[in-house]
Amino acid sequence: MSGAAGQHISVSANQHGAWTGLQGRGTLARARKDRFFTWLAVGCTAVVILPLVAILLYLVLRGASSLSLAFFTQLPRPISQGGGGMANAILGSGEILLIASLLGIPLGIGAGVFLSEYGAGKPIATAVRFTADVLNGVPSIVVGIAAYVLIVLPMKTFSALAGGIALGIMMVPTVTRTTEEMLATVPHSVREAALGLGIPKWRATLSVTLRTASAGIITGCMLAFARVAGETAPLLFTAFGSQFWPRSVVGSTAALPLQIFNYAMSPYPAQRRLAWAGALMLIVLIMTSVSLVRFVANRGTLRGRT
């Protein structure tokens, strides 16, 4: 019996050793896979970030030398006089983007709320989703031509208003679909808790559901804003451009994308340098506005959670 017991113990020890070896090899394989996919994720992140960094550095190298006080305070000058700036284009871009945001963001959020909270099973909700998806894929120049026919021709003048409406239309589908998706992530228990307290559905949607999804909705609004901020084609048919200060929303208005386009096509090196400076200014304005909105939104969300 003692011999059989010893043999059994020896076999068990061998099996345990084999099992331990398999576990060790499995752990090593998992560690290698973990390192591989970690470095793969880091590489993908670098591929995403690298183009933005490269573009920003190139714009700094080409355009930073042309930035000066005159660039931010003076009107464009004829090439024979030299100097000048893009102050009117900066102001005009701000005016046009403000009009676009006032139009596109409320409409987009309203449509997204309807699709998520009130449109379940309704044919009109399917039509709105289809329209938003199609509009999101429409080329910007087509939107500009439509705005030219529907707004510029009846008004008989190019204007910042027409440009703002064209860009606002382009913002609507992105804001709409983002709002719908973000509201869909809010747990139904949150809605049920609000309704259980006797709060009307419209009030619960505004005060509870929208507030819970506010961070994602604001991100969608920023994406839409960043998309239209650099658009040139719609403004060629609507705002048209100007060499003077903006005086009215119903008159021709300068804009940074238009001024960059005109100067980039110029045969004069001085104007091409200003075009690089304008491009740098445009991307800095977009990054600054997006960062400020993100900062304010995060502080507001934190207060709400507290």
Side-chain angles (χ1 to χ4, degrees):
M1 293 297 291
S2 60
Q7 185 177 5
H8 178 71
I9 293 173
S10 176
V11 171
S12 299
N14 291 335
Q15 290 178 345
H16 178 72
W19 175 250
T20 303
L22 289 174
Q23 280 187 322
R25 287 194 293 271
T27 302
L28 182 60
R30 287 194 297 270
R32 289 175 178 175
K33 289 181 180 179
D34 179 71
R35 286 196 297 269
F36 171 75
F37 284 105
T38 298
W39 283 108
L40 181 62
V42 171
C44 293
T45 304
V47 169
V48 172
I49 296 176
L50 186 61
L52 175 61
V53 175
I55 292 172
L56 186 59
L57 289 177
Y58 190 73
L59 288 177
V60 170
L61 292 175
R62 297 296 300 270
S65 60
S66 298
L67 293 177
S68 62
L69 182 61
F71 179 87
F72 297 98
T73 59
Q74 295 183 8
L75 296 174
R77 293 181 182 178
I79 192 62
S80 59
Q81 297 182 10
M86 293 187 178
N88 60 330
I90 297 173
L91 185 60
S93 285
E95 187 177 275
I96 293 172
L97 291 173
L98 177 62
I99 295 173
S101 299
L102 291 176
L103 173 67
I105 291 177
L107 284 178
I109 293 177
V113 169
F114 169 77
L115 293 176
S116 177
E117 304 298 316
Y118 301 95
K122 296 182 180 179
I124 189 174
T126 303
V128 172
R129 288 191 187 95
F130 178 77
T131 302
D133 291 338
V134 172
L135 187 59
N136 198 33
V138 172
S140 59
I141 193 169
V142 176
V143 178
I145 293 173
Y148 175 79
V149 173
L150 299 176
I151 303 174
V152 174
L153 290 182
M155 293 178 61
K156 298 181 180 180
T157 180
F158 298 97
S159 64
L161 179 63
I165 292 175
L167 297 185
I169 292 173
M170 294 178 62
M171 293 179 68
V172 169
T174 302
V175 178
T176 298
R177 296 297 280 164
T178 304
T179 301
E180 181 187 8
E181 294 299 328
M182 291 301 103
L183 291 176
T185 63
V186 178
H188 287 286
S189 58
V190 175
R191 299 175 175 86
E192 293 170 355
L195 296 175
L197 294 174
I199 302 175
K201 186 174 182 179
W202 67 269
R203 184 64 182 272
T205 300
L206 292 177
S207 302
V208 179
T209 310
L210 271 177
R211 187 170 185 178
T212 304
S214 61
I217 294 173
I218 290 172
T219 300
C221 294
M222 291 188 299
L223 291 174
F225 178 85
R227 181 200 170 190
V228 304
E231 287 289 348
T232 305
L235 301 183
L236 290 172
F237 293 93
T238 53
F240 192 69
S242 172
Q243 299 297 314
F244 307 100
W245 293 105
R247 297 181 180 178
S248 172
V249 295
V250 292
S252 299
T253 305
L256 268 176
L258 290 175
Q259 203 75 1
I260 294 169
F261 174 78
N262 292 329
Y263 279 4
M265 301 295 291
S266 172
Y268 302 106
Q271 290 187 339
R272 290 199 298 269
R273 287 193 296 269
L274 285 176
W276 285 111
L280 175 61
M281 185 63 191
L282 181 61
I283 194 171
V284 168
L285 285 175
I286 294 173
M287 293 174 63
T288 302
S289 59
V290 168
S291 300
L292 287 176
V293 171
R294 170 66 70 182
F295 174 74
V296 174
N298 286 341
R299 292 192 63 185
T301 303
L302 290 175
R303 287 198 195 99
R305 289 175 179 173
T306 303

